[in-house]
Amino acid sequence: AELLHRTERLESLGLLAGGIAHDFSNLLTPIVGNIELLLDRLPPDSPLRDRALAVSAAADRATELARQLLVYAGRGEIAPRPIDLNSLVEDVVHLLRALATLSTPTRLDLAPSVRLFVVVGNAKPHMAVEQVVSALEALPEDVHVAFVGRGHSDRLAGRIPSGLMTRVHATGAVEPTEVVPFIASADAAFVPYIATEPNTRFSLQNGFFQSIAAGLPLVVPADLPELRNIAGSGGVAVNFADADSIVQGARELLEDNAGPAVARAAVAKLREELTWEHEEARLLHLVGIPLEKRAPRGSRKPP
């Protein structure tokens, strides 16, 4: 009796799934058709083309979902075919990211062959986000970039060429204490700031120090002397206002045989030096020198 009850329940679920899939397919037909007409009429350089392609991709995923429901209901045929697990993971992440909170960040499990640059920090006006994306077009296809922080999804919306949609990632907000382990598996970090005002030339960003703490080689702005001087041989300096300069710096880190090893060793040394204990000792030393010079001889004799 229990087995019969389960069988009847499964049949009911199958009928329900089949009906939903049928209605869903009817709703998708005009959406898919109109998007195809829109793509045919939009010029290749239209700023709306990328958004239309995104809608088309979503409609394709919805069509595939309807097909799977029909298979479950016994109204469709199973067609085995190879799948790209990496693309599947990215699709799921796009859905989960909308539900994620600050304490539950999402991370793309990219293929082992992917070489990843990260940009750490919330989106700011003087960040060279567009230039970094533009530079990515000239780099090998296995090079990706991930923007870690708030505001990047909005800034990147409609600005990513269709050919780069799977190579540019915006993770959203990450708990500050989790940033370093979150980015530690990356290959290098962009610090893409442009000195738009005199004061910004001497600014020090948290993302810069978090990248050092993660042990990542750095691509730093040549026009920000403080960042450039601290980074030293731990990275390369580029002009972030120029995509070609970014490409050259990225290639130097990725393709120079000795470059990555030298940069990582220098960053590891920086990570040891840039600690509160080290800075406190250096500050005491700097303060102690003038005090010793000013103190008269014999004034520090013990009582």
Side-chain angles (χ1 to χ4, degrees), residues 23-147:
D23 292 342
F24 199 38
S25 295
N26 289 339
L27 292 172
L28 284 171
T29 299
I31 296 175
V32 173
N34 282 294
I35 284 295
E36 289 179 354
L37 288 174
L38 179 62
L39 287 170
D40 288 340
R41 297 183 180 182
L42 282 175
D45 58 347
S46 171
L48 297 176
R49 191 169 186 82
D50 287 338
R51 298 196 176 193
L53 287 170
V55 173
S56 177
D60 290 341
R61 288 197 295 270
T63 301
E64 175 62 18
L65 178 61
R67 187 193 69 78
Q68 293 174 5
L69 284 172
L70 286 172
V71 170
Y72 175 78
R75 302 185 189 180
E77 296 182 358
I78 299 176
R81 65 186 189 282
I83 61 173
D84 184 350
L85 287 177
N86 204 44
S87 298
L88 184 61
V89 169
E90 290 192 12
D91 289 342
V92 173
V93 167
H94 283 305
L95 295 175
L96 293 179
R97 185 171 293 129
L99 303 175
T101 63
L102 183 63
S103 59
T104 57
T106 57
R107 183 187 306 201
L108 287 172
D109 294 325
L110 300 174
S113 59
V114 167
R115 294 179 288 179
L116 179 64
F117 282 85
V118 292
V119 176
V120 184
N122 297 333
K124 299 178 181 66
H126 56 289
M127 262 187 176
V129 172
E130 293 80 6
Q131 291 86 336
V132 167
V133 172
S134 179
L136 192 62
E137 289 190 273
L139 291 169
E141 291 186 358
D142 64 335
V143 178
H144 290 219
V145 61
F147 294 87

Side-chain angles (χ1 to χ4, degrees), residues 1 17 75 86 125 139 160 199 211 263 269 283 301:
R75 302 185 189 180
N86 204 44
L139 291 169
I160 304 176
N199 290 339
S211 299
K269 185 177 180 181
L283 180 61
K301 289 182 180 180

Side-chain angles (χ1 to χ4, degrees), residues 129-240:
V129 172
E130 293 80 6
Q131 291 86 336
V132 167
V133 172
S134 179
L136 192 62
E137 289 190 273
L139 291 169
E141 291 186 358
D142 64 335
V143 178
H144 290 219
V145 61
F147 294 87
V148 182
R150 294 187 181 91
H152 292 294
S153 295
D154 293 338
R155 182 163 177 179
L156 291 167
R159 300 184 182 184
I160 304 176
S162 56
L164 298 180
M165 294 293 288
T166 60
R167 296 171 58 195
V168 179
H169 317 284
T171 68
V174 177
E175 190 73 31
T177 56
E178 298 175 2
V179 170
V180 173
F182 188 78
I183 65 175
S185 61
D187 294 277
F190 286 126
V191 188
Y193 290 89
I194 299 175
T196 54
E197 299 177 3
N199 290 339
T200 59
R201 295 185 66 248
F202 301 98
S203 58
L204 297 172
Q205 290 78 19
N206 287 338
F208 171 70
F209 293 105
Q210 289 167 325
S211 299
I212 291 175
L216 303 181
L218 306 163
V219 181
V220 297
D223 57 346
L224 270 65
E226 290 296 321
L227 289 183
R228 189 182 67 239
N229 292 338
I230 293 174
S233 57
V236 295
V238 305
N239 176 12
F240 273 106

